[in-house]
Amino acid sequence: MLHLPQSNREELLDLNRGSLSDVRQSLQDIRRINAWLGGLSLTCKSVFDLLEKRGVQSATVLDVGTGSADIPQRLVEQGRRRGYDLKVIALDLSERHLQIAREYVDGMKEIELMRGDAFALPLEDKSVDMVVSSLFLHHFRAPQIVEILQEWERVSRCGWMANDLVRHPLALAFFRATGPIFARSYLTRHDGAASIRRAYTAGEMRAIVQKQFPQAQVRGHFPYRLSVIREK
């Protein structure tokens, strides 16, 4: 059975490396990865499935670790087409990320950019309908993930959802082989490989999440993605 040992090599974006132009190019890479490899579609489907199930037409969604705000942008665009009154809070700790996000979502009145810490969200209890994240949880180790999810539980009314990478040697080989398509920035080339090595298998993530939230569902998705979904 193929196995890739987990490592905790730090990512350059987390260390605030690179110029603003470098960061912009790397976030463009992440937008491309989310669009082509399922992160956007998986997140949007989960949000609208839950809102439809709950009969909610007017909702507020919080996107944690928003990067360039590609998730909020797609949620709002789909919400408009589907007839939802959707507000999205795009939260990130990095001021540089928010500066770049502003370039993409300027003029979209449904999106509020917010600087904040995932471990202490600047929001009241049950102040949003749903919390989402993409390619975020792998940045943290198990006790930190539990802390983050406890914050999501606190601020959400309907539930929360995360999608992330699955650690697997074939995922790493695929990333290296497709580097010219997905990793045009040197930051992405470094951080993409580091992210896959820092990520969890679906089984590992399930053990972390369900110890605290046994109702949460953790599923694997093609290609080398997982989702964590908690309906309240």
Side-chain angles (χ1 to χ4, degrees):
M1 185 175 180
L2 295 175
H3 176 67
L4 181 66
Q6 190 175 44
S7 70
N8 200 24
R9 185 181 183 187
E10 290 193 274
E11 299 179 36
L12 298 180
L13 282 180
D14 292 344
L15 297 172
N16 293 315
R17 300 287 177 81
S19 66
L20 184 62
S21 177
D22 293 333
V23 174
R24 182 180 291 107
Q25 186 180 37
S26 185
L27 292 182
Q28 287 171 348
D29 287 342
I30 295 172
R31 291 176 75 93
R32 193 177 304 110
I33 289 168
N34 272 335
W36 289 21
L37 300 182
L40 276 173
S41 59
L42 182 58
T43 301
C44 291
K45 183 179 187 305
S46 298
V47 168
F48 290 109
D49 282 355
L50 181 56
L51 295 181
E52 183 177 354
K53 183 176 180 180
R54 300 293 288 267
V56 176
Q57 287 296 123
S58 178
T60 300
V61 179
L62 169 67
D63 178 38
V64 178
T66 197
S68 67
D70 55 332
I71 299 289
Q73 188 176 5
R74 180 66 65 88
L75 283 171
V76 166
E77 290 168 351
Q78 288 199 8
R80 289 172 178 174
R81 291 196 296 270
R82 294 170 180 236
Y84 283 85
D85 178 15
L86 204 63
K87 175 185 175 183
V88 186
I89 301 170
L91 181 139
D92 206 292
L93 186 60
S94 169
E95 187 58 49
R96 295 199 300 180
H97 291 182
L98 293 175
Q99 181 179 342
I100 293 164
R102 195 168 290 111
E103 299 170 5
Y104 285 100
V105 303
D106 187 42
M108 299 183 77
K109 59 181 177 57
E110 300 97 330
I111 298 176
E112 176 186 358
L113 299 179
M114 180 182 294
R115 187 170 187 270
D117 186 345
F119 294 95
L121 295 172
L123 297 167
E124 300 293 330
D125 294 357
K126 293 181 170 54
S127 56
V128 302
D129 292 282
M130 192 169 180
V131 181
V132 300
S133 77
S134 181
L135 303 180
F136 183 69
L137 290 183
H138 73 266
H139 292 264
F140 306 98
R141 299 307 91 190
Q144 296 172 306
I145 290 174
V146 172
E147 287 184 51
I148 289 168
L149 297 183
Q150 287 172 337
E151 276 292 275
W152 295 7
E153 183 79 5
R154 179 182 68 81
V155 302
S156 63
R157 291 186 287 264
C158 297
W160 37 263
M161 181 271 180
N163 84 77
D164 216 313
L165 303 168
V166 169
R167 190 181 77 255
H168 194 281
L170 293 181
L172 184 59
F174 175 81
F175 176 76
R176 287 172 171 164
T178 58
I181 299 172
F182 295 115
R184 300 175 187 178
S185 164
Y186 77 92
L187 293 173
T188 313
R189 289 192 290 275
H190 176 279
D191 288 0
S195 293
I196 293 168
R197 290 184 176 277
R198 293 179 74 173
Y200 298 85
T201 67
E204 290 167 348
M205 183 63 76
R206 188 176 296 111
I208 294 167
V209 173
Q210 291 186 343
K211 185 175 181 180
Q212 183 72 25
F213 302 101
Q215 311 91 334
Q217 299 295 314
V218 180
R219 298 186 178 93
H221 302 270
F222 178 84
Y224 303 108
R225 286 262 180 164
L226 61 79
S227 65
V228 184
I229 301 176
R230 153 82 162 134
E231 296 184 21
K232 300 173 74 171

